[in-house]
Amino acid sequence: MELGNDTRNSEFLLLGFSEEPELQPFLFGLFLSMYLVTILGNLLIILAVNSDSHLHTPMYFFLANLSFVDICVTSTTVPKMLVNIHTQRKIITYESCILQMYFFILFVGLDNFLLTVMAYDRFVAICHPLHYTVIMNPRLCGLLVLVSWIMNILHSLLETLMVLQLSFCTHLYIPHFFCELNQMIQLACSDTFLNNLVIYFAAVLLGGAPLAGILYSYSKIVSSIRGISSALGRYKAFSTCTSHLSVVSLFYCTSLGVHLSSTATQSSLSSATASVMYAVVTPMLNPFIYSLRNRDIKEALNLLFRGKS
C-alpha cells in the first residue's frame, strides 16, 4: 500500500501491549476497572468541591479543574483501547488518530500548567498569608486557568498541524495503545526535522518553564516554613502542600519514565508500559492522594455521601 499524498485515506494499526488471545480478557478487565475508578474518583472530587462552600477557595478551584482534565486525559486514550481489545480490531483511522493525538497533547499540557498554578497558589498562601485573598482573587484564578487553556490549545494545534504535513510510509504499525506524537513522527517517511525542532522547543518552553516555576515556588515555601518558630506551625504549613507535592512528584517521575523509555530502549512494550503509568495510573491515583491526605476533602466527601443516603 503506497500512501504518499493518500495518507488521509489510510488507517493505522495500534499494536497495544500483547497480541496473545489469552491475555486480552485480563487486559480488558484491568483497563476498564482503572478507567472507571479514574472517572468515579475525579468526579467525586469535583462534586465535593462544588457542593461544599468551605471548599470554594483557589486551591480547590484548581483541584477541581485538575480532576476534570484528568478525566479528559484518560477518556482520550482508554475507551478506544477497550474497544480495540473487545472487538479484536486494532485499527484506527487517520482522522481519529490525529484527533486523539491533538487532545492528548492538550490535556497532558493542561495537567502540567495546572500543577504549576497550584504550586503558585501554595507559595502565596504560605509566603504571603496576609495578602492571600487579595492576590488570589477569583479574577486572577479564572485568568490563570484561561491562559493555561489558550496556551495548550495553541501548542497542541501547532504540533497537530506539523504532523498533518507529513507523509507516511507503507508500514503504519504504532507499537503503542494510542496515537502518541513521537510514534507518529517515527512512522513518517518525509523529513521530520521541523517536527523534532518544535517538540524540543515546546519541551523546554512549556515543560521546563512550569517545572522551574514549581521548583522556585517550593524553594520559597521551604525557606518560609523554616522561618516558623514552632514545630506545630511548620507541620501545619507543610501539611497543606503534601498532597500537591505528591501529585507533582508522580506526574514528573512518570513523565521522565516515558522520556527515558523512549530514548534509552527500543522496546515498544517498555515504552507503552511507561505511558500507562503516565496517562492512566497518575490520573487514577490523584483523587486518592488528595482525599486520603486532605481532611477538608474527606469531610466534604462524607457530607456528600450523607446527603445522598
Side-chain angles (χ1 to χ4, degrees), residues 131-150:
H131 302 98
Y132 177 71
T133 55
V134 176
I135 297 173
M136 299 303 295
N137 58 74
R139 184 174 177 274
L140 178 64
C141 293
L143 189 62
L144 288 171
V145 172
L146 179 62
V147 169
S148 298
W149 273 94
I150 291 172

Side-chain angles (χ1 to χ4, degrees), residues 13-262:
L13 195 66
L14 295 171
L15 298 182
F17 293 95
S18 173
E19 295 186 11
E20 297 180 21
E22 60 271 16
L23 278 179
Q24 301 310 306
F26 169 75
L27 291 173
F28 182 84
L30 175 65
F31 283 102
L32 177 62
S33 60
M34 290 172 70
Y35 180 62
L36 293 176
V37 169
T38 302
I39 299 296
L40 180 61
N42 284 289
L43 276 178
L44 284 175
I45 293 289
I46 295 171
L47 288 172
V49 171
N50 287 334
S51 62
D52 193 337
S53 59
H54 295 96
L55 301 184
H56 293 174
T57 62
M59 181 174 75
Y60 295 111
F61 169 72
F62 297 133
L63 176 58
N65 277 273
L66 182 69
S67 293
F68 171 75
V69 171
D70 280 342
I71 290 173
C72 294
V73 169
T74 51
S75 297
T76 301
T77 57
V78 176
K80 175 59 179 173
M81 179 177 61
L82 291 174
V83 170
N84 287 354
I85 294 173
H86 181 67
T87 60
Q88 295 296 301
R89 219 172 155 265
K90 300 185 176 184
I91 290 173
I92 184 170
T93 63
Y94 176 81
E95 293 80 6
S96 298
C97 202
I98 291 295
L99 281 173
Q100 188 182 63
M101 184 186 68
Y102 170 82
F103 284 112
F104 185 77
I105 296 170
L106 168 62
F107 293 127
V108 168
L110 272 169
D111 249 348
N112 190 25
F113 272 60
L114 286 172
L115 289 173
T116 308
V117 169
M118 293 169 79
Y120 175 70
D121 172 75
R122 292 299 83 208
F123 159 73
V124 176
I126 292 174
C127 299
H128 306 283
L130 298 179
H131 302 98
Y132 177 71
T133 55
V134 176
I135 297 173
M136 299 303 295
N137 58 74
R139 184 174 177 274
L140 178 64
C141 293
L143 189 62
L144 288 171
V145 172
L146 179 62
V147 169
S148 298
W149 273 94
I150 291 172
M151 290 190 68
N152 283 285
I153 285 172
L154 293 176
H155 168 234
S156 185
L157 186 62
L158 174 63
E159 297 280 16
T160 305
L161 289 174
M162 295 290 291
V163 171
L164 285 171
Q165 304 306 310
L166 299 175
S167 296
F168 292 91
C169 304
T170 54
H171 300 291
L172 300 180
Y173 302 103
I174 301 177
H176 224 297
F177 65 95
F178 70 98
C179 295
E180 198 260 340
L181 176 61
N182 287 321
Q183 296 288 344
M184 293 286 288
I185 291 175
Q186 288 175 20
L187 287 176
C189 52
S190 53
D191 183 39
T192 60
F193 173 76
L194 284 177
N195 297 79
N196 290 319
L197 190 65
V198 169
I199 288 175
Y200 292 134
F201 182 75
V204 172
L205 186 64
L206 303 179
L211 178 59
I214 291 173
L215 293 175
Y216 175 80
S217 296
Y218 272 102
S219 69
K220 291 294 184 181
I221 287 171
V222 170
S223 178
S224 182
I225 289 175
R226 288 179 62 186
I228 300 174
S229 56
S230 69
L232 182 61
R234 288 195 295 270
Y235 172 77
K236 284 184 177 179
F238 187 73
S239 65
T240 64
C241 303
T242 52
S243 295
H244 176 258
L245 197 55
S246 300
V247 170
V248 167
S249 301
L250 184 63
F251 179 84
Y252 279 102
C253 285
T254 52
S255 301
L256 182 63
V258 170
H259 175 71
L260 292 177
S261 66
S262 61

